Amino acid sequence: MTNSPFPADHRIVLIGDPRVRAVPVRDCGEPLVDCRGRLRVDTRRADPAGHFAHLRSGVVERLERAEKLLPNGWRWLLVEGYRPRALQQEIFDGYAATLRRLDPDADEERIHTATSRWCAPAETAGHVAGAAIDLTVCTRDGAEIDMGSPEAATPEESAGACYTHAPDVPERARGNRALMIEALFSVGMVNYPTEWWHWSYGDRYWAWSTAAPAAVYGPVPEP
């Protein structure tokens, strides 16, 4: 379909790719810990149980180390960490339904691929493992730093500016993203390149990106 509103970037391996799904998981058993009180946590996607503020302990430690590498006065602003599998599936299904409305002629394979640009399938999602975080950067007084598109904007809403290395992002925002990237890469975290705000450590996408033999964090068992 040449006129699809979901153009593919074949340089990017999406999180639902079979190569990512094939990565084995050898969970190290690290617990989820509450980030509140250790890092600045935003409440825009807070849930009643407080799941959003939790991450594996090793991920939190890396974020704390990376924050020290940010320019003076900058702080991480954590938006969402752990998600129960049911919530991940709900978000995926909701975005897929939106894409079907935009392109009713698209087949299900194309819809699934396009959906995974912005939301991971539950079976490979780092959020479900407590290994992924959606975050941005703010000043000491809480003002968000310009990153060229809103956190969590879809490709359609942002005209592609949500992609980490989108070519049309203003120079100032591109520089801000570069500082974020440098700090997080330095502690071993990896970015999902369709979402400048999505970073992870220890999940399947991290393992595939770094050629690790296995993911060290798998889906967190739910009560």
Side-chain angles (χ1 to χ4, degrees):
M1 186 185 306
T2 57
N3 295 320
S4 171
F6 321 131
D9 186 338
H10 298 293
R11 297 167 298 176
I12 293 175
V13 173
L14 295 175
I15 202 164
D17 189 282
R19 289 169 288 182
V20 178
R21 291 200 305 270
V23 173
V25 176
R26 299 175 192 145
D27 198 296
C28 67
E30 272 185 15
L32 289 173
V33 298
D34 197 331
C35 300
R36 291 168 291 191
R38 296 178 63 170
L39 293 158
R40 185 175 295 218
V41 177
D42 187 87
T43 59
R44 70 189 73 175
R45 291 204 292 278
D47 61 282
H51 294 309
F52 79 105
H54 288 72
L55 288 166
R56 298 285 190 132
S57 58
V59 180
V60 181
E61 290 164 5
R62 283 171 172 78
L63 290 170
E64 288 175 324
R65 297 206 315 266
E67 188 172 67
K68 295 175 182 177
L69 304 175
L70 292 173
N72 186 38
W74 284 22
R75 300 288 185 271
W76 296 132
L77 184 62
L78 279 58
V79 178
E80 190 172 18
Y82 170 63
R83 285 184 198 139
R85 184 185 178 96
L87 177 57
Q88 185 73 28
Q89 191 65 53
E90 178 184 332
I91 296 169
F92 187 91
D93 291 345
Y95 183 45
T98 297
L99 298 183
R100 286 190 196 97
R101 290 193 293 272
L102 290 173
D103 189 0
D105 295 326
D107 61 32
E108 282 306 300
E109 181 179 0
R110 190 173 193 87
I111 292 295
H112 188 277
T113 298
T115 303
S116 67
R117 297 169 308 161
W118 183 77
C119 182
E123 60 269 22
T124 53
H127 286 288
V128 172
I133 181 69
D134 294 337
L135 80 166
T136 186
V137 185
C138 65
T139 61
R140 189 178 285 108
D141 62 5
E144 290 188 37
I145 302 297
D146 178 19
M147 290 293 172
S149 82
E151 182 273 334
T154 68
E156 294 75 36
E157 292 167 338
S158 67
C162 60
Y163 281 50
T164 306
H165 297 290
D168 297 328
V169 173
E171 182 177 354
R172 183 180 182 87
R174 190 180 308 117
N176 292 339
R177 290 187 187 190
L179 292 168
M180 180 181 190
I181 290 166
E182 183 178 4
L184 291 164
F185 272 165
S186 72
V187 297
M189 298 187 72
V190 301
N191 172 246
Y192 190 41
T194 62
E195 303 177 350
W196 60 260
W197 57 85
H198 179 104
W199 290 81
S200 68
Y201 176 85
D203 61 343
R204 280 186 161 127
Y205 199 80
W206 166 87
W208 183 85
S209 300
T210 62
V216 296
Y217 303 135
V220 174
E222 297 179 39

